[in-house]
Amino acid sequence: MFFLNLVVLKGIIDFGDVCGSALVFDLSIAVLYHMVAVFTKTSSLESVYEPIRWLLSGYFKCRKLTEDEKNAVYFAVKARAAQSVLGNYACLNLL
């Protein structure tokens, strides 16, 4: 039997994007949400660059990007940001 009061939930990993799409999108989503988390705590755009370098450095230790993926990351991060804004806008209008 599973008792929720005995378990501390630390996070949820959604593998939906990774299973049916290019891995570069996984990295792009992580970069975007890491930027949002850092900016939320610091309110400084300049403060997001160093943590993103750490995130990318750790990622690159495990997996290298192809040239096409390197070219796509910038646009994929921007696309995910746009998707998040539009999704939130749509949700707010449904309430």
Side-chain angles (χ1 to χ4, degrees):
M1 185 171 253
F2 184 73
F3 296 99
L4 288 178
N5 60 345
L6 300 177
V7 175
V8 177
L9 182 64
K10 299 281 184 170
I12 297 173
I13 300 174
D14 177 7
F15 290 106
D17 289 330
V18 190
C19 294
S21 63
L23 291 175
V24 70
F25 296 133
D26 184 34
L27 175 61
S28 301
I29 291 166
V31 167
L32 174 69
Y33 288 122
H34 197 66
M35 289 172 63
V36 169
V38 171
F39 180 77
T40 301
K41 289 187 178 204
T42 64
S43 298
S44 167
L45 285 176
E46 291 78 27
S47 66
V48 302
Y49 297 118
E50 190 64 24
I52 293 304
R53 280 191 210 85
W54 298 334
L55 183 134
L56 293 173
S57 173
Y59 186 88
F60 296 149
K61 286 180 183 176
C62 298
R63 183 177 182 277
K64 303 297 181 207
L65 296 180
T66 66
E67 282 303 311
D68 287 340
E69 289 173 325
K70 288 176 187 176
N71 294 330
V73 169
Y74 174 78
F75 297 104
V77 170
K78 291 181 96 163
R80 183 56 182 209
Q83 180 183 11
S84 295
V85 169
L86 293 173
N88 288 332
Y89 177 79
C91 287
L92 290 174
N93 284 322
L94 292 174
L95 298 176

